[in-house]
Amino acid sequence: MKIHIETERLIIRDLENFDAQGIFDLDSDPEVHEYLGKHPIKTIQEAEEVINFIRNQYLENGIGRWAVIDKKTNDFMGWTGLKYEQKLREDMSYYDLGYRLRKKYWGNGIATETAIESLAYGFDKLNLKKICAAADVNNIASNKVLQKIGLQFIETFDYEGKPHNWYTISKSEWVASKNNR
Ligand SMILES: CC(C)(COP(=O)(O)OP(=O)(O)OC[C@H]1O[C@@H](n2cnc3c(N)ncnc32)[C@H](O)[C@@H]1OP(=O)(O)O)[C@@H](O)C(=O)NCCC(=O)NCCS
């Protein structure tokens, strides 16, 4: 099992097949999917497919979303991290920052904490030049996280019939924002 990041309260590691129940708890919740197209999953088999899909990205792209684990309880909290995104924007491929947590873990700064760690991993370890993110304009929590950690709003674009905010941060912007903290 590959652990990528450890903080005081979290372990951030590769998603594993045994996370199927955790992914099911996460992705079967309609509230979690409110701004994600409103297609929550219904079966454990779908959860297993999600894990296979992400684990394939580790092999094909060298990166994909990672599991977030509560260090104290070993509970599966959700996922976070970077993905090489090739479909969301018609005109470009890019490294996308994202996060999705089980509802019981919302409101404790966990998305912000894992997003900060993901940016550092992308720029320091993967040596990326730019990281991007998109959020439904009505997804206040997600927009807030992206703004808090230093991503710059660029434009609003249409994704599946819904307006989304588009954000980017370059390595030099990230270095400058770190030095200003
Ligand atoms: C988006 C998500 C990951 C945020 O996780 P989280 O750990 O609760 O986020 P954080 O606690 O780090 O930060 C959320 C911020 O938004 C604020 N916030 C959340 N809901 C809000 C609301 N309805 N109105 C105003 N502010 C809100 C919080 O107060 C916090 O800001 P603060 O630190 O200034 O107080 C979580 O809500 C989630 O999993 N949602 C479903 C999946 C999803 O939408 N993922 C993002 C797709 S782009």
Side-chain angles (χ1 to χ4, degrees), residues 89-124:
R89 303 267 355 217
E90 279 164 13
D91 47 345
M92 68 179 116
S93 299
Y94 62 94
Y95 288 93
D96 178 83
L97 172 65
Y99 29 70
R100 189 178 299 181
L101 300 174
R102 290 168 63 199
K103 206 165 47 208
K104 66 191 273 199
Y105 294 111
W106 293 3
N108 294 302
I110 290 163
T112 303
E113 181 176 330
T114 68
I116 289 170
E117 296 290 340
S118 301
L119 282 186
Y121 187 94
F123 288 130
D124 275 343

Side-chain angles (χ1 to χ4, degrees), residues 135-146:
D136 185 309
V137 296
N138 294 314
N139 191 347
I140 297 173
S142 184
N143 280 281
K144 223 169 167 190
V145 170
L146 296 171

